[in-house]
């Protein structure tokens, strides 16, 4: 039998959905081989390679009598050992298809943040799509929290949810999906292409060419937001495996890591994995400072900002005996007189030939002159020469690292630290554009000589030029030395809503102002479209047919979203905290706070305003007042008015 319709397949009632779990890597349970041709048995849930004779799947079907299989990559259904394909339109198999490869349409994406209804899994448990627990695979809670936080950043989430769809085109830019007409125009040879706004110089590739990490990340997000799960939690096994391979086991099962470092590494991997380019510094022009811009991607479009960095390098060096004598010999009497005048002392000039200091050979005036000469030489030799060099560079960032004030020296009665509290605005003084922070203050020998005693110190001033629509703040809590890892437990208090950062931003040419209604009405059609495109509303500009419709969109945008975009006000999207047991950090204990601690993530449900706390498989409700006073480690803010 080579073919048959689904209605003639007599084995569909043998499918046991309670045993099906597609979260794991598709590899054969017999040969442990991973290949594009792995089939899942829909009766027992095991994975096998191939479907031809003498393959593990064929042998399993004969020995166990399990006849219904699904191709884990293509999603096609087969009956073995008969070897015919079951009709893909079979209604009873659609739930399995959606559980295997969840897909989303543009309309579904737009309703994700407004969904309030809970859904049920096969076991009757109710869950809210997007707010599900992730299984901890032995100290992978840092990965779970980072994925939970990134999964609620709308542009990034929408991009990866729509990525595998053949009938959708992804617009990289505020996560907006292009219209069906644009999708048809951008698709060539049956393959979907991802288009970007004209203002972005981005490089995109088809989903088939995504890196393994990008594909696993996309699949994990689709499983998290899918309302068709067979179970109410998700296993990130495939992403953990891809991360372990790509990082050369730097991030591995059973080994705790810093969530801030992992987030930076993961964003770079996703940027490269979806077609973003990597710009490496030129070896020939090391001294030339340039603002290097990498190839665009959804990651850079969402999180990248610009900061101006002013570095002042100060070199302090003792003049030395030889240099002082040479200075006097070159300047002669004038050099000595100048030095004496600077010291406000009247010292007579000396001649260069009065070097005979034998007793009785000179009169008292000559002896006094020689004594003063020696004092001048010693004073000049001990004088410190200060050389300052100032450089100004503009660079880009995906996250801002903030230094928390040092923990206090005083301890409580049990030997623990008295935990202080610090507002976030004080921690942000590093980027106020005025304050300098010490970068390097140490004795450093120069390459020319090892005995010149040069002291080199560095200080930097940071001035934010532009902020992204989604701002990541990394509170640096962990410090390493040669013996142990130490955590700073200082609580950084921050607002959950309306966090104003306008005083920390210094844009080129000054801050833009909101155009008035009369100015908008006086704009031409081209200017109206440019206004919308410049602020990420290109989809609205393209959908408007008549000028009156376009004008109304611009007036609505100027009166609602644009003031918030220009005001640099942010709302909290996700918060990652790190907790340690009470006994860790006490005197006499040798626990590593990074290894002994655990991570939690807080995210908000947009439709109801309810905050949820996620720690591995546990998802509970929490209050925003508790979030602002927790030991926050990573903060993700969303600009008000951004889409």
């Amino acid at each position: 039998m080579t073919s048959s319709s689904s209605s003639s397949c007599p084995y569909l009632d043998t499918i046991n959905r309670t045993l099906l779990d597609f979260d794991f890597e598709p590899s054969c349970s017999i040969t442990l081989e991973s290949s594009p041709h792995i089939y899942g048995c829909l009766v027992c849930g095991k994975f096998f390679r191939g479907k031809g004779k003498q393959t593990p799947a064929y042998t399993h079907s004969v020995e166990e009598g399990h006849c219904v299989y699904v191709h884990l990559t293509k999603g096609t259904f087969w009956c073995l050992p008969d070897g015919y394909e079951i009709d893909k339109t079979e209604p009873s198999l659609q739930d399995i298809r959606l559980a295997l490869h969840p897909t989303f349409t543009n309309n579904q994406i737009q309703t994700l943040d407004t969904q309030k209804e809970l859904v049920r899994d096969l076991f009757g448990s109710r869950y809210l799509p997007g707010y599900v627990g992730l299984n901890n695979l032995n100290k992978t809670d840092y990965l779970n929290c980072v994925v939970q936080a990134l999964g609620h950043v709308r542009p990034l989430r929408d991009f990866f949810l729509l990525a595998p769809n053949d009938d959708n085109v992804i617009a990289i830019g505020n996560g907006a999906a292009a219209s069906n007409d644009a999708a048809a125009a951008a698709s060539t040879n049956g393959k979907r292409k991802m288009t970007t706004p004209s203002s972005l110089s981005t490089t995109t590739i088809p989903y088939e060419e995504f890196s393994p990490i990008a594909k696993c990340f996309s699949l994990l997000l689709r499983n998290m937001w899918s309302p068709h799960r067979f179970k109410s939690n998700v296993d990130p096994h495939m992403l953990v495996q891809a991360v372990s391979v790509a990082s050369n086991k730097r991030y591995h099962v059973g080994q705790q890591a810093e969530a801030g470092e992992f987030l930076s590494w993961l964003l770079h991997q996703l940027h490269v994995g979806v077609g973003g380019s990597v710009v490496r510094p030129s070896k020939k022009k090391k001294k030339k400072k340039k603002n290097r811009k990498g190839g665009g991607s959804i990651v850079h479009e969402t999180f990248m900002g610009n900061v101006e960095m002013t570095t002042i390098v100060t070199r302090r060096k003792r003049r030395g005996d030889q240099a002082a004598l040479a200075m006097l010999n070159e300047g002669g009497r004038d050099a000595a007189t100048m030095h004496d005048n600077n010291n406000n002392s009247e010292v007579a000039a000396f001649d260069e030939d009065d070097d005979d200091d034998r007793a009785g050979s000179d009169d008292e005036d000559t002896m006094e002159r020689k004594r003063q000469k020696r004092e001048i030489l010693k004073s000049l030799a001990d004088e410190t020469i200060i050389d300052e060099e100032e450089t100004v560079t503009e660079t880009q960032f995906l996250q801002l690292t903030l230094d928390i004030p040092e923990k206090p020296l005083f301890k409580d009665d049990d030997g623990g630290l008295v935990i202080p509290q610090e507002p976030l605005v004080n921690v942000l003084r590093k980027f106020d554009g005025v304050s300098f922070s010490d970068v390097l203050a140490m004795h450093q020998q120069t390459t020319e000589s090892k005995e010149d005693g040069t002291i080199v110190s560095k200080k930097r001033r940071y001035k934010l030029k532009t902020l992204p629509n989604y701002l990541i703040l990394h509170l640096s809590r962990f410090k390493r030395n040669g013996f142990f890892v130490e955590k700073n437990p200082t609580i950084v208090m921050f607002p959950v809503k309306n966090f104003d950062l306008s005083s920390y931003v210094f844009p080129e040419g000054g801050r833009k102002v909101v155009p008035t209604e009369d100015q908008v009405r006086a704009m031409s059609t081209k200017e109206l479209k440019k206004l919308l495109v410049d602020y990420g509303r290109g989809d609205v500009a393209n959908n408007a047919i008549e000028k009156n419709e376009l004008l109304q969109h611009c007036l609505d945008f100027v009166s609602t979203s644009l003031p918030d975009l220009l005001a640099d006000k942010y709302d909290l999207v996700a918060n990652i905290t790190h907790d340690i047991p009470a006994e860790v950090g006490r005197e006499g204990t040798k626990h590593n706070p990074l290894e002994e601690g655990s991570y939690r993530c807080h995210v908000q449900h947009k439709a109801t305003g309810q905050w949820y706390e996620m720690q591995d498989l546990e998802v509970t409700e929490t209050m925003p007042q508790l979030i602002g006073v927790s030991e926050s480690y990573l903060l993700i803010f969303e600009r008000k008015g951004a889409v």
Side-chain angles (χ1 to χ4, degrees), residues 505-520:
V505 183
F506 306 88
E508 294 289 346
R511 188 174 298 276
K512 297 181 179 180
V513 296
V514 179
T516 62
E517 181 178 348
D518 294 337
Q519 291 175 343
V520 174

Side-chain angles (χ1 to χ4, degrees), residues 233-491:
N233 55 70
V234 183
D235 197 314
H237 181 269
M238 296 179 63
L239 180 62
V240 171
Q241 290 292 97
V243 166
S244 178
V245 173
S247 64
N248 196 17
K249 294 189 176 181
R250 176 184 175 185
Y251 302 106
H252 192 55
V253 174
Q255 180 179 351
Q256 190 66 276
E258 286 193 39
E261 295 180 355
F262 174 72
L263 175 60
S264 178
W265 179 88
L266 180 62
L267 289 179
H268 175 72
Q269 294 296 323
L270 294 178
H271 163 70
V272 177
V274 299
S277 63
V278 179
V279 178
R280 296 180 174 86
S282 176
K283 297 182 179 179
K284 296 182 180 180
K285 298 180 180 179
K286 293 184 178 180
K287 296 182 179 180
K288 193 171 183 180
K289 303 291 183 179
K290 287 187 176 181
N291 181 19
R292 301 186 179 94
K293 295 183 179 180
S297 70
I298 183 60
V299 176
H300 283 189
E301 175 66 15
T302 305
F303 297 109
M304 179 167 285
N306 294 329
V307 60
E308 180 184 279
M309 182 174 58
T310 302
T311 305
I312 298 179
V313 180
T314 304
R315 294 178 175 85
R316 293 177 175 86
K317 175 182 177 183
R318 179 177 175 271
R319 188 187 301 275
D321 299 334
Q322 297 296 329
L325 183 59
M327 177 180 178
L328 288 177
N329 290 335
E330 293 177 1
R333 192 182 305 271
D334 295 336
T337 304
M338 177 186 65
H339 187 271
D340 295 337
N341 291 336
N342 292 337
N343 292 334
N344 296 324
S345 61
E346 296 180 359
V347 181
F350 58 88
D351 297 324
E352 296 183 2
D353 56 349
D354 55 352
D355 295 332
D356 189 2
D357 57 355
R358 292 176 295 175
S361 61
D362 295 319
D363 52 15
E364 294 181 358
D365 294 339
T366 305
M367 294 293 293
E368 180 65 18
R369 200 164 52 246
K370 291 182 178 181
R371 184 185 64 79
Q372 293 177 356
K373 174 185 177 180
R374 286 191 293 269
E375 291 180 357
I376 293 173
L377 282 173
K378 185 177 182 304
S379 178
L380 288 175
D382 294 338
E383 187 178 21
T384 301
I385 302 175
I386 301 177
D387 180 25
E388 287 189 353
E389 180 183 357
E390 179 177 337
T391 58
V392 179
T393 58
E394 185 174 337
T395 185
Q396 297 169 324
F397 66 88
L398 293 179
Q399 65 179 15
L400 293 178
T401 302
L402 304 179
D403 299 324
I404 305 176
E406 294 293 336
K407 61 183 180 180
L409 298 176
F410 302 101
K411 301 179 182 295
D412 58 20
D413 297 337
D414 298 328
L417 293 174
V418 178
I419 301 178
Q421 296 184 3
E422 192 78 15
L424 183 57
V425 290
N426 292 347
V427 182
L428 278 170
R429 288 177 182 173
K430 176 180 179 181
F431 298 95
D432 61 3
V434 178
S435 304
F436 280 90
S437 58
D438 293 332
V439 178
L440 177 64
M442 59 179 294
H443 290 271
Q444 177 176 333
Q445 304 293 341
T446 59
T447 57
E448 293 82 2
S449 173
K450 295 183 179 181
E451 299 179 356
D452 59 357
T454 303
I455 301 176
V456 180
S457 62
K458 276 185 182 179
K459 58 182 181 179
R460 284 177 180 167
R461 180 184 65 194
Y462 300 92
K463 185 180 293 186
L464 296 174
K465 292 297 184 181
T466 58
L467 289 179
N469 287 338
Y470 289 83
L471 177 65
I472 302 178
L473 298 181
H474 174 207
L475 302 177
S476 181
R477 292 190 177 272
F478 296 98
K479 290 186 178 180
R480 292 183 174 87
N481 54 33
F483 303 97
F484 56 87
V485 178
E486 187 178 11
K487 178 186 176 182
N488 189 336
T490 301
I491 295 178

Side-chain angles (χ1 to χ4, degrees), residues 76-128:
T76 56
F77 296 90
W78 294 83
C79 182
L80 298 180
D82 295 341
Y84 62 86
E85 182 179 357
I86 303 175
D87 188 2
K88 62 181 181 180
T89 61
E90 169 61 35
S92 63
L93 299 177
Q94 296 307 310
D95 59 337
I96 299 179
R97 182 187 301 275
L98 293 176
L100 176 62
H101 294 302
T103 57
F104 293 85
T105 63
N106 293 334
N107 294 332
Q108 291 174 340
I109 291 292
Q110 295 174 4
T111 60
L112 286 181
D113 293 325
T114 60
Q115 182 178 357
K116 299 180 182 180
E117 295 79 10
L118 301 179
V119 296
R120 292 184 181 272
D121 61 3
L122 287 179
F123 303 94
S125 299
R126 297 167 66 88
Y127 71 95
L128 184 63

Side-chain angles (χ1 to χ4, degrees), residues 13-232:
D13 58 345
T14 62
I15 298 176
N16 189 354
R17 289 171 172 79
T18 59
L19 298 179
L20 301 183
D21 190 351
F22 302 118
D23 291 343
F24 293 93
E25 182 181 5
S27 60
C28 181
S29 59
I30 302 298
T31 63
L32 304 181
E33 178 184 357
S34 297
S35 71
H37 304 290
I38 301 297
Y39 292 81
C41 177
L42 299 183
V43 181
C44 64
K46 296 181 181 180
F47 298 163
F48 301 97
R49 177 183 59 83
K51 61 181 178 63
K53 292 184 178 180
Q54 299 181 352
T55 60
Y58 187 91
T59 304
H60 177 76
S61 66
V62 173
E63 293 179 351
E64 302 295 336
H66 298 171
C67 302
V68 187
Y69 294 80
V70 59
H71 194 289
L72 297 180
T73 303
K74 299 179 180 179
T76 56
F77 296 90
W78 294 83
C79 182
L80 298 180
D82 295 341
Y84 62 86
E85 182 179 357
I86 303 175
D87 188 2
K88 62 181 181 180
T89 61
E90 169 61 35
S92 63
L93 299 177
Q94 296 307 310
D95 59 337
I96 299 179
R97 182 187 301 275
L98 293 176
L100 176 62
H101 294 302
T103 57
F104 293 85
T105 63
N106 293 334
N107 294 332
Q108 291 174 340
I109 291 292
Q110 295 174 4
T111 60
L112 286 181
D113 293 325
T114 60
Q115 182 178 357
K116 299 180 182 180
E117 295 79 10
L118 301 179
V119 296
R120 292 184 181 272
D121 61 3
L122 287 179
F123 303 94
S125 299
R126 297 167 66 88
Y127 71 95
L128 184 63
Y131 301 83
V132 298
L134 297 179
N135 190 22
N136 189 341
L137 305 179
N138 189 8
K139 295 185 178 181
T140 59
D141 51 327
Y142 68 94
L143 182 144
N144 294 344
C145 288
V146 169
V147 171
Q148 293 279 19
L150 294 180
H152 289 82
V153 177
R154 285 183 292 176
L156 193 73
R157 177 199 67 186
D158 297 350
F159 178 90
F160 283 101
L161 290 184
L162 287 172
N165 293 5
D166 292 334
D167 56 347
N168 286 294
V169 176
I170 298 176
I172 304 179
N174 301 320
S179 61
N180 294 333
D181 295 338
S187 60
T188 56
N189 297 330
K191 293 185 178 181
R192 181 193 49 79
K193 299 291 183 180
M194 284 169 282
T195 61
T196 64
S198 58
S199 59
L200 301 177
S201 58
T202 58
T203 303
T204 57
I205 57 178
Y207 178 77
E208 293 77 10
E209 300 179 14
F210 276 18
S211 67
I213 286 185
K215 288 183 178 180
C216 293
F217 184 78
S218 173
L219 179 60
L220 182 56
L221 290 191
R222 284 183 279 127
N223 285 328
M224 290 170 54
W225 287 93
S226 173
H228 307 287
R229 297 281 301 167
F230 286 166
K231 58 180 182 178
S232 59

